[in-house]
Amino acid sequence: MKDARISVHPFTTEDGLGLSLTRFHRADCDDVVLVIHGLTLSSDMFIMPEHRNLVTHLLDEGFTDVWALDFRMSNRFTYNLETHRFTLDHCARYDHPAAMAELRRHIGDRRVHVIAHCLGSVTFMMSLYGGVVNDIASVVCNSVALTPRVPRWSRYKLAYGPALSEYVLGLSFLDPRFGDAPVLTRGWMLSRVTSLFHNECDVRPCHMLSFMWGSGKPALYGHHNLDDATHRRIADLCGGVGVHYYRHVHKMVKAGRAVKYDRSDRSMAVLPDDYLAYAADVRTPVLLLTGDRNKVFADSNIVCHSVLDDAAPGLHELDMLPGYGHMDPFLGKNAHVDVFPKIADFLKRKAA
């Protein structure tokens, strides 16, 4: 990162987790941008050194105060490689409201625009449409938002995978680095078996990620869209993930929309059972991005745009990204040419 002062701002959620915000500050501006990663990822996905990254692009486009959130799904936190029972509701209820409170403590009442990816998009939209986060100028959601839809093979994995992983394999989390585990351990064997079905490349973490998410060879991106350095270090960017999150995603896929995991959980009483129930009341404009080769969340954002447009006609936008999949709109070597200008243009129009 050039010509920016970088500072880290730790904060604590109401349920006791330590999270962090990283600030990339070139100058004060009226429109602050917050970027949010997806599951297994971290804020590192927005500051990749092998090509022009999103934070640099935003700073150069005049958004000179950019913040990156690492919430509980970040691979920077070791508890993601431990047994836990976090759901997407936990992120919506605790993480994003606490992050916004910490952000506001530093920037005051300036406009805030959010750019989010994958389950970062889902959980932030749950906070926004659940009423626990407000006063947001605009949101950009990549791949999925409030209507998760997945390929058929992914449905089977979501339905049966968590129980098989925890109670048969004895693994409460999955890690793309299982291939580097000691020989004949459960993780090592799972990685080797997975690679038997993936001959599209020789990067074992890439195979594991296709096993963990989506349906394809590879599932999360097109190889042609990645710099070779990114492909080789994909396990640096995508870490381990607790399988319990998949249960909540599965419940949403079955419902066809974002819903609460456990309606009887009193700690989540502030959240709605159906996150789209009050969609017409939310006046924050949303740009829904999706690659036309999305093998993880398929046409989720196309459907979401239709649903949101019915609730608030003309407020929201949809942009298809030709040749892109799930993660390469941010990780791709040409994303600064094909994708980032679309995001910057939307932000500028909503900053007026």
Side-chain angles (χ1 to χ4, degrees):
M1 302 304 306
K2 296 180 180 180
D3 303 322
R5 294 183 298 277
I6 302 172
S7 56
V8 178
H9 303 265
F11 62 95
T12 304
T13 64
E14 187 180 324
D15 65 335
L17 279 188
L19 308 180
S20 68
L21 285 159
T22 303
R23 185 181 197 179
F24 305 90
H25 184 244
R26 191 173 285 175
D28 288 343
C29 59
D30 292 334
D31 293 271
V32 175
V33 180
L34 173 66
V35 294
I36 304 174
H37 61 82
L39 182 59
T40 84
L41 290 151
S42 73
S43 57
D44 293 331
M45 69 177 289
F46 302 115
I47 53 173
M48 297 169 61
E50 53 262 50
H51 51 72
R52 183 175 173 84
N53 58 61
L54 179 62
V55 171
T56 295
H57 190 89
L58 291 170
L59 292 172
D60 289 347
E61 286 293 318
F63 298 96
T64 53
D65 195 0
V66 180
W67 295 67
L69 171 63
D70 280 282
F71 70 111
R72 75 182 64 206
M73 289 183 177
S74 173
N75 62 48
R76 291 189 175 190
F77 302 128
T78 57
Y79 49 71
N80 283 311
L81 301 183
E82 300 171 358
T83 302
H84 63 70
R85 282 296 182 261
F86 297 143
T87 67
L88 277 65
D89 294 321
H90 286 84
C91 306
R93 168 70 178 85
Y94 298 115
D95 296 8
H96 299 306
M100 289 305 303
E102 176 66 14
L103 180 63
R104 288 292 183 193
R105 191 170 71 84
H106 294 275
I107 69 166
D109 61 357
R110 286 184 281 161
R111 290 186 293 266
V112 175
H113 305 263
V114 174
I115 302 169
H117 168 66
C118 187
L119 296 190
S121 295
V122 176
T123 56
F124 187 82
M125 290 286 278
M126 288 163 62
S127 291
L128 181 63
Y129 279 70
V132 293
V133 162
N134 51 44
D135 198 21
I136 303 298
S138 71
V139 182
V140 178
C141 294
N142 181 57
S143 186
V144 61
L146 290 172
T147 57
R149 294 161 60 89
V150 299
R152 180 178 297 178
W153 173 232
S154 296
R155 279 178 168 262
Y156 295 138
K157 290 195 289 185
L158 289 170
Y160 305 110
L164 288 172
S165 181
E166 288 185 327
Y167 301 115
V168 177
L169 298 178
L171 297 170
S172 60
F173 69 93
L174 299 175
D175 192 337
R177 293 190 185 276
F178 274 166
D180 296 327
V183 175
L184 297 182
T185 58
R186 286 169 292 186
W188 182 90
M189 288 189 286
L190 178 60
S191 175
R192 290 305 190 274
V193 170
T194 298
S195 289
L196 292 177
F197 297 92
H198 288 271
N199 58 5
E200 66 272 19
C201 69
D202 61 355
V203 179
R204 293 191 190 279
C206 182
H207 306 163
M208 276 300 301
L209 286 169
S210 294
F211 172 75
M212 292 162 61
W213 286 102
S215 179
K217 299 182 178 183
L220 281 80
Y221 40 72
H223 280 144
H224 64 284
N225 284 334
L226 298 190
D227 186 283
D228 185 61
T230 303
H231 185 218
R232 294 290 168 185
R233 74 178 191 94
I234 197 66
D236 293 339
L237 294 164
C238 305
V241 54
V243 298
H244 190 61
Y245 284 123
Y246 295 148
R247 293 186 172 100
H248 197 175
V249 176
H250 181 239
K251 185 167 186 175
M252 291 184 178
V253 169
K254 287 178 64 179
R257 59 211 291 126
V259 293
K260 187 182 291 181
Y261 183 71
D262 182 0
R263 295 188 178 189
S264 66
D265 186 347
R266 294 182 180 179
S267 68
M268 300 296 168
V270 68
L271 298 174
D273 294 337
D274 178 352
Y275 288 93
L276 280 166
Y278 307 104
D281 298 333
V282 180
R283 303 307 300 173
T284 300
V286 179
L287 170 61
L288 297 148
L289 293 175
T290 185
D292 66 353
R293 301 181 186 181
N294 192 336
K295 300 176 183 177
V296 177
F297 283 109
D299 60 347
S300 295
N301 271 357
I302 299 173
V303 172
C304 191
H305 178 260
S306 176
V307 171
L308 294 185
D309 193 57
D310 285 343
L315 182 62
H316 310 293
E317 300 179 21
L318 172 68
D319 205 327
M320 299 287 291
L321 304 172
Y324 279 85
H326 172 66
M327 290 202 313
D328 36 7
F330 291 116
L331 273 58
K333 60 187 178 184
N334 292 318
H336 63 287
V337 175
D338 301 327
V339 183
F340 299 168
K342 296 175 182 288
I343 295 174
D345 173 69
F346 177 77
L347 298 186
K348 288 176 181 178
R349 287 189 283 111
K350 302 311 171 183

